[in-house]
């Protein structure tokens, strides 16, 4: 501040919620790390991206659309919403597009929360929930997660603990299934039991960013649940199995009434023209999804076996990542791996200081990671 400025600090002028916020810490771009470390062949297993890359159909759609980038996109995303509605067996009025599903998480807080309201989520759940809740000055009610020694779902969501955090001020409950960074999940029966016990005045945000990677028998029956629970808002993304993270596109499915409310706070052109075209085309490439999921399943088994051989325990996962207990300071080990060009995600910011979260890569990447890990331990 200049000495003549009447303002001591702009921090004091920010809203109370924003003053308390810690910004989300994204991983450094690979190019920057390589420059810093003087290496050229690093692998990034840090942000739960799809290592296979986007579907060729998506790339073709982008090439075909690129001539039109001087025009605004279709603000309502008519073609994509219609296709998504068809895919899920719902009406197009139930689909809301977001600049990544992250955007939807923010829209829902802006539509439903004020500083007088609260949102409920679990310990160790996705880092964006506290940010979007605090940004609007609302209160977070954080539910205790299952203990680390829990028989089947260590550090997973505890349905009873979540319910206990709901009170008269609560307008939203966030449930990530599977959750990031733990990879843990609730079964459809457990989720349904939870939904039945949540008052209709509370919006249930069921975050299904990784749902394509789940085993078939525990995939949520989306269409049926949307019919049964008018307070349900399901978020989905093209960033994970569809491999379009850099384009930023996701969506939600809800009742038309909730979709209408989200659309009131949504920027008119929140999803871009290339993202809409690529997302639409990707939906036609079921083979690419299957290939990605199969590769993920094989990679998961490979990493689990390797961790067992290294006598490291890991959390059960239904995502394209796995969190492993490295029995030492995760941040220090992360730095050592980094020096060898292997970029993973330390999760001390999630209060899991002895864990590292590893995105499941190609077989070659997984092998390089395991060899490097063994040498760094
Ligand atoms: C659980 C969960 N939800 C939502 C997102 C947001 O993804 P995007 O904004 O790319 O759709 C992520 C991304 O990592 C996630 O892990």
């Amino acid at each position: 501040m200049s000495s003549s400025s009447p303002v001591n600090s702009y921090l004091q002028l920010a809203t109370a919620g924003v003053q308390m916020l810690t910004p989300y810490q994204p991983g450094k771009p690979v190019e920057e790390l390589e420059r810093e470390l003087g290496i050229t062949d690093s692998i990034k297993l840090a942000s739960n991206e799809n290592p296979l890359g986007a579907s060729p159909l998506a790339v073709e759609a982008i090439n075909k659309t690129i001539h039109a980038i001087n025009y605004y996109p279709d603000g309502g995303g008519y073609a994509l919403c219609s296709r998504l509605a068809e895919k899920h067996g719902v009406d197009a009025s139930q689909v809301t597009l977001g600049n990544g599903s992250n955007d939807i998480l923010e829209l829902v807080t802006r539509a439903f929360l004020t500083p007088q309201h609260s949102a409920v989520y679990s310990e160790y759940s996705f880092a964006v929930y506290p940010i979007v809740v605090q940004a609007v000055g609302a209160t977070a009610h954080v539910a205790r997660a299952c203990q680390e020694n829990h028989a089947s779902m260590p550090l997973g969501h505890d349905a009873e603990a979540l319910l206990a955090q709901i009170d008269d001020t609560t307008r939203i409950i966030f449930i990530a299934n599977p959750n990031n960074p733990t990879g843990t999940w609730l079964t459809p029966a457990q989720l349904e039991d939870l939904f039945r016990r949540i008052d209709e005045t509370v919006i249930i945000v069921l975050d299904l960013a990784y749902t394509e990677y789940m085993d078939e028998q525990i995939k949520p029956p989306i269409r049926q649940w949307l019919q049964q629970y008018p307070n349900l808002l399901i978020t989905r993304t093209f960033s994970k199995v569809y491999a379009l993270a850099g384009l930023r596109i996701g969506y939600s499915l809800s009742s038309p009434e909730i979709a209408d409310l989200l659309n009131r706070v949504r920027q008119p052109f929140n999803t871009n023209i290339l993202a809409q075209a690529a997302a639409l085309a990707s939906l036609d490439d079921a083979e690419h999804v299957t290939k990605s999921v199969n590769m993920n399943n094989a990679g998961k088994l490979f990493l689990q076996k390797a961790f067992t051989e290294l006598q490291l325990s890991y959390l059960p996962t239904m995502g394209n990542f796995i969190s492993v207990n490295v029995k030492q300071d995760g941040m220090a080990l992360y730095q050592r791996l980094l020096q060898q060009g292997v970029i993973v995600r330390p999760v001390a910011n999630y209060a899991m200081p002895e864990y590292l979260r590893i995105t499941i890569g190609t077989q070659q990447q997984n092998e390089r990671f395991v060899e490097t890990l063994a040498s760094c331990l």
Side-chain angles (χ1 to χ4, degrees), residues 216-331:
E216 267 331 297
Q217 74 278 13
I218 53 165
K219 279 192 181 158
I222 290 175
R223 181 166 172 233
Q224 179 198 321
W225 281 357
L226 286 169
Q227 284 169 354
Q228 272 173 288
Y229 304 102
N231 51 336
L232 181 62
L233 176 88
I234 288 175
T235 61
R236 301 282 302 257
T237 185
F238 285 95
S239 300
K240 305 301 173 186
V241 88
Y242 290 103
L244 299 178
L247 283 179
R248 312 304 301 127
I249 183 126
Y251 61 99
S252 64
L253 303 167
S254 65
S255 67
E257 197 186 346
I258 291 179
D260 171 53
L261 294 167
L262 298 187
N263 275 305
R264 293 180 194 199
V265 288
R266 183 175 69 76
Q267 283 181 40
F269 303 109
N270 65 330
T271 62
N272 72 76
I273 196 167
L274 299 179
Q276 286 186 22
L280 187 61
S282 322
L283 291 170
D284 286 333
D285 199 345
E287 207 179 303
H288 190 263
V289 171
T290 308
K291 196 169 151 194
S292 304
V293 171
N294 288 345
M295 190 187 72
N296 192 67
N297 285 338
K300 179 159 81 173
L301 288 177
F302 174 82
L303 291 178
Q304 288 173 335
K305 183 163 174 281
F307 293 146
T308 305
E309 280 166 14
L310 292 168
Q311 298 185 342
L312 299 177
S313 63
Y314 51 85
L315 300 179
T317 181
M318 279 291 156
N320 63 346
F321 57 90
I322 181 163
S323 284
V324 57
N325 185 338
V326 291
K327 297 190 286 192
Q328 56 179 289
D329 178 18
M331 190 56 92

Side-chain angles (χ1 to χ4, degrees), residues 100-102 105 126 129 176 178 180 207 209-210 237 239-240 248-249:
S101 57
N102 210 315
L105 299 174
F126 184 42
Y129 307 154
N180 170 22
D207 181 341
Y210 302 95
T237 185
S239 300
K240 305 301 173 186
R248 312 304 301 127
I249 183 126

